[in-house]
């Protein structure tokens, strides 16, 4: 389902939602590089060299959450079901940490969501 979504609202790297919540997840994605506007062209590592202090918080516009792969959760560990709400970014059940996370990466992930 294409919702014509093309932008992130906000993102930050290094955000600590809650140590207990984040510690419950393993880190599954790091070192994302997106040089185009297609997630399929992005590169990333499923091995990491970071800690949860580099986990990514993201907010997207006009997106339907829960699509396979990426999801956002709030401080209660509930899946974010509304656009424009920031949450901890998960990929395949683990956090995404990246000290070089940028707007192009955020936009690509948001497009992948919807």
């Amino acid at each position: 389902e294409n919702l014509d979504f093309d932008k992130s609202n906000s993102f930050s790297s290094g955000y600590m939602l809650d140590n207990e919540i984040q510690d419950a997840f393993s880190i599954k994605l790091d070192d994302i590089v997106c040089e185009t506007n297609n997630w399929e062209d992005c590169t990333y590592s499923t091995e990491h060299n970071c800690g949860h202090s580099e986990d990514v918080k993201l907010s997207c516009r006009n997106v339907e959450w829960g699509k396979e792969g990426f999801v956002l959760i709030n401080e209660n560990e509930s899946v974010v079901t509304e656009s424009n709400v920031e949450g901890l970014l998960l990929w395949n059940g683990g956090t995404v940490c990246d000290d070089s996370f940028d707007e192009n990466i955020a936009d690509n992930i948001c497009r992948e969501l919807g």
Side-chain angles (χ1 to χ4, degrees), residues 6 32-43 102-109 111-112:
D6 65 353
I32 304 168
V33 176
C34 295
E35 295 182 4
T36 71
N37 291 330
N38 292 313
W39 172 252
E40 293 80 23
D41 296 332
C42 298
T43 62
D102 62 22
E103 186 173 359
N104 193 44
I105 296 168
D107 290 346
N108 269 287
I109 290 172
R111 275 192 294 276
E112 182 67 11

Side-chain angles (χ1 to χ4, degrees), residues 31-66:
D31 298 326
I32 304 168
V33 176
C34 295
E35 295 182 4
T36 71
N37 291 330
N38 292 313
W39 172 252
E40 293 80 23
D41 296 332
C42 298
T43 62
Y44 55 85
S45 175
T46 55
E47 296 183 12
H48 69 88
N49 62 353
C50 55
H52 286 300
S53 63
E54 296 176 62
D55 284 346
V56 174
K57 180 177 90 171
L58 178 65
S59 171
C60 300
R61 295 184 298 193
N62 303 325
V63 67
E64 215 171 271
W65 297 114

